[in-house]
Amino acid sequence: MQLGSLRQLTLVSFALVLVPLVVLLWHSQITLGRMGEIATNEAEFSVAMVRRVNNLESFSVDIERLIRQYHVLDKPELKELSDKYVQRFTESLGSLCVKLENSQECNVLSDRLTWFRSYDRLSDQLLLDAQLAEFRRALTELGASVDSLLDDRIKQRQAYVSSVQQTQAWLTALLVSISLILIIFGSQLILRPVRKLEHVIQAISLQEDELPEISNSGPKELILVERKLHRLSDRLTQLEHLRHALLRHASHELKTPLASIKEGCSLLTEQVVGELNDRQMEVMSLLNSSTDRLNTLIMQLLDYNLLLQQAKPDFQWLKTSALMEDFITDNRLALQQNKHELETKIELPQVYADAHLFRRILDNLLSNAIAHGSKGRPINIKLYQEKHVQVLDVSNRGQKISPEQRAILFEPFNRGEGKRNDRIIGSGLGLSIVADCARMMRGKVEIVDVDYADVCFRVSIPLTEKK
């Protein structure tokens, strides 16, 4: 059955879940009614039996008293009256013996009653006493038989109740299990398209090339949402391509005239085309610094654009000795110009990371430390391992970063409040590139407090492969 909407799917799921519970309720009502009827019948039966036994005991006392009076007084009226009580006793005994089935006491009492009807006062007193004693004994045993019968019926009903309870328990467990299975099945029917939407959203967030195909079956509302997400993904892909193209073309188009401007400024500064006075040299100095700043911004935009275009990191084992040697060589001039000493403590002979991303992290963190750290103070670089995480610490001395700035410092185009040593206004992309590089390698970057420096950036990269 194809369900057209999420509402129909939800209602049908709830209806299916309620079916076993309704069956359980119906069976419980029938069982409860049956148990109530049995309890009522047993109570009526027990009361009737006890009442009959009490009547027989009362009749037996009257019969014995009248027969003895007749034996002494010899009055016909007493004989007639005793016969009436014997008749009543016989009727009550008959209805009682039907319930007992083949009771020996009933036969004994019937014989005694027959003797009482034919009783003649000329009989021996001892015979009369013996017959009455036998009559009382049989009546007492009859009461015991009734008690035993009631006890047996109570035990039978208890066994029946126990069996009904066991059956009810098994039936309850079965039907509740069926309800749970139906609940799981219904929830899967409802959650399956929702999970599909989650996969689509995750694929969009990870900028995957292909999205899961649009579902052909399921609630129409969720299929509509899935189609909208696919359209949104196509639109985001177009915008992403436009953004990359804009950054690439803008940066490329800016580099060509910038190179010409920089070459012209160099010629003027070197006074190749003629001598310059002091004021003209000051203007040329400002032009040179502006072109350097513009060139730095363009390079950062290109670097950021290349980072965005890199879909997946290429993990490999990198020798830290060669990596750090190339890194120090490339940045030696910047360190010398700002009179910084680079103190390194490398505890890992190898790191498992993407070579380009890891080098970008090192370059940007060192550039940030040079730009914002105190001149002439050392810059520390530590590389070590904590459990299954590779940790890189880059720290410097200088102005500390406030907690408010720490929260936004890794966002694109956000610059810190501290002044740069090179008097260049940064683009706010350096630390954002560090954060993106770490995130692409399933790691993170954060600012931590250490006792040997004022500012410390810590990059944590999980070790996904053992040596």
Side-chain angles (χ1 to χ4, degrees), residues 158-173:
Q158 287 177 346
Y160 175 74
V161 170
S162 298
S163 63
V164 170
Q165 288 178 344
Q166 186 175 6
T167 303
Q168 186 71 16
W170 282 108
L171 183 62
T172 301

Side-chain angles (χ1 to χ4, degrees), residues 93-104:
L93 181 63
S95 60
L96 184 61
C97 290
V98 172
K99 304 294 182 182
L100 293 177
E101 297 180 359
N102 300 325
S103 176
Q104 184 66 29

Side-chain angles (χ1 to χ4, degrees), residues 194-373:
V194 176
R195 292 197 186 99
K196 182 70 174 297
L197 293 178
E198 291 180 354
H199 292 328
V200 174
I201 294 173
Q202 185 178 8
I204 294 175
S205 64
L206 296 177
Q207 299 180 354
E208 295 182 359
D209 297 333
E210 295 183 1
L211 298 180
E213 295 182 359
I214 299 177
S215 302
N216 297 323
S217 61
K220 58 183 180 181
E221 297 93 343
L222 298 183
I223 294 178
L224 181 60
V225 173
E226 191 174 347
R227 290 176 179 172
K228 290 181 179 180
L229 287 175
H230 276 260
R231 289 196 294 268
L232 175 62
S233 175
D234 295 338
R235 182 58 178 168
L236 290 176
T237 302
Q238 293 176 1
L239 293 176
E240 192 70 13
H241 290 328
L242 288 175
R243 184 164 67 94
H244 291 167
L246 177 62
L247 287 173
R248 184 173 59 253
H249 290 301
S251 301
H252 178 74
E253 294 299 328
L254 286 174
K255 286 183 67 177
T256 301
L258 178 62
S260 300
I261 294 173
K262 190 170 183 179
E263 182 65 24
C265 291
S266 299
L267 293 175
L268 291 174
T269 303
E270 295 173 0
Q271 301 184 11
V272 175
V273 295
E275 295 184 0
L276 301 178
N277 56 34
D278 294 340
R279 295 184 64 184
Q280 290 173 338
M281 288 296 296
E282 183 179 356
V283 173
M284 292 308 303
S285 176
L286 293 175
L287 288 175
N288 285 324
S289 64
S290 296
T291 54
D292 290 338
R293 175 177 176 271
L294 184 57
N295 184 65
T296 302
L297 294 177
I298 293 174
M299 294 304 297
Q300 286 184 343
L301 285 174
L302 287 174
D303 192 27
Y304 186 63
N305 189 45
L306 290 175
L307 178 63
L308 293 177
Q309 291 179 349
Q310 183 171 353
K312 295 182 180 179
D314 181 18
F315 284 96
Q316 55 184 321
W317 286 105
L318 307 174
K319 292 185 178 181
T320 53
S321 57
L323 179 67
M324 294 304 297
E325 183 178 354
D326 294 339
F327 166 69
I328 295 173
T329 301
D330 294 341
N331 292 276
R332 179 175 290 112
L333 181 59
L335 291 170
Q336 291 177 354
Q337 289 178 349
N338 292 272
K339 301 179 181 179
H340 288 295
E341 291 185 4
L342 191 62
E343 297 180 357
T344 59
K345 184 179 180 181
I346 309 301
E347 299 180 2
L348 297 179
Q350 296 183 92
V351 291
Y352 189 69
D354 183 286
H356 299 291
L357 296 179
F358 196 78
R359 179 59 189 271
R360 284 177 183 171
I361 291 175
L362 284 171
D363 290 337
N364 282 278
L365 288 181
L366 181 61
S367 176
N368 183 79
I370 293 174
H372 295 279

Side-chain angles (χ1 to χ4, degrees), residues 2 22 48 82 97 99 114 116 146 162 176 191 235 257 270 279 286 295 341 352 425 442 449:
Q2 178 67 31
V22 171
S82 65
C97 290
K99 304 294 182 182
T114 302
F116 289 153
V146 171
S162 298
V176 170
L191 292 178
R235 182 58 178 168
E270 295 173 0
R279 295 184 64 184
L286 293 175
N295 184 65
E341 291 185 4
Y352 189 69
I425 301 175
R442 299 184 293 276
D449 296 324

Side-chain angles (χ1 to χ4, degrees), residues 133-195:
E134 182 66 16
F135 179 71
R136 289 194 298 271
R137 183 194 64 77
L139 185 60
T140 302
E141 292 181 356
L142 180 65
S145 298
V146 171
D147 292 339
S148 178
L149 174 64
L150 295 178
D151 292 338
D152 292 339
R153 290 178 67 91
I154 290 174
K155 291 179 180 179
Q156 293 175 2
R157 295 301 176 260
Q158 287 177 346
Y160 175 74
V161 170
S162 298
S163 63
V164 170
Q165 288 178 344
Q166 186 175 6
T167 303
Q168 186 71 16
W170 282 108
L171 183 62
T172 301
L174 176 63
L175 294 178
V176 170
S177 300
I178 294 175
S179 294
L180 291 177
I181 294 174
L182 291 175
I183 289 173
I184 295 173
F185 178 71
S187 63
Q188 290 296 324
L189 289 179
I190 296 174
L191 292 178
R192 187 181 302 165
V194 176
R195 292 197 186 99

